[in-house]
Amino acid sequence: MSEKIDLSSFVLSETEEFMNTNQRAYFRAKLNAWKNDILREARETLGHLAEESANHPDLADRASSETDRAIELRARDRQRKLISKIDSALQRIDEGTYGYCEETGEPIGLKRLDARPIATLSIEAQERHERREKVYRDE
């Protein structure tokens, strides 16, 4: 199969070789589509913020507008970080390390990757990581 994958009709199969050409193409397409959606939303937000920069005579309206702007900017910052993770996942696809746990080197699993394509840890490694994080946070 070529690098072009129809995300709406492609079905991941656990019986195929893990991270074969089709699976890599599927995840590349999924990651690129996700990134493009985020970038489109960011452009829309910038347009919206530019339109909203009008000076509101009412203090309550101005405060509400500023709160909305701060929330939008925080969301955009989170999405900027997400784009960085997407780019990192795309780089791992190019390097041939995508889909394998950074801690154990074992396959992460197609279901987990389909649900969270930027995952870098297997479910077990992620759970260990979260338990360690909770222990240090509780101290």
Side-chain angles (χ1 to χ4, degrees):
M1 191 177 259
S2 70
E3 282 289 308
K4 292 289 182 193
I5 294 283
D6 180 5
L7 291 175
S8 63
S9 63
F10 185 79
V11 178
L12 291 168
S13 172
E14 298 279 347
T15 61
E16 296 177 347
E17 177 189 352
F18 186 72
M19 278 303 122
N20 62 43
T21 304
N22 292 342
Q23 291 172 357
R24 287 192 310 272
Y26 169 80
F27 285 112
R28 181 185 312 279
K30 186 170 183 138
L31 288 161
N32 279 318
W34 191 11
K35 181 178 174 179
N36 290 335
D37 285 345
I38 292 169
L39 293 172
R40 179 186 42 74
E41 289 173 9
R43 284 190 296 275
E44 289 171 4
T45 297
L46 288 176
H48 175 70
L49 290 176
E51 291 170 8
E52 270 294 309
S53 64
N55 200 0
H56 298 285
D58 182 58
L59 284 176
D61 288 346
R62 190 177 315 160
S64 177
S65 179
E66 288 300 316
T67 300
D68 290 348
R69 171 176 268 152
I71 290 168
E72 283 285 343
L73 292 174
R74 271 198 309 272
R76 292 298 146 236
D77 187 51
R78 280 193 304 273
Q79 289 184 332
R80 179 187 55 80
K81 292 173 184 171
L82 183 55
I83 285 175
S84 174
K85 290 180 179 183
I86 291 170
D87 287 339
S88 177
L90 289 167
Q91 184 177 354
R92 288 193 309 277
I93 289 174
D94 292 340
E95 294 168 350
T97 59
Y98 180 80
Y100 295 92
C101 180
E102 288 182 346
E103 257 185 36
T104 65
E106 295 293 317
I108 290 175
L110 294 177
K111 288 180 183 175
R112 175 161 167 74
L113 288 171
D114 201 27
R116 181 131 178 99
I118 57 172
T120 59
L121 298 173
S122 66
I123 290 174
E124 296 80 14
Q126 182 68 38
E127 287 172 347
R128 280 193 305 273
H129 175 76
E130 289 172 3
R131 279 194 299 273
R132 282 192 304 263
E133 200 173 69
K134 183 181 180 334
V135 166
Y136 291 122
R137 189 175 57 232
D138 288 346
E139 289 180 352

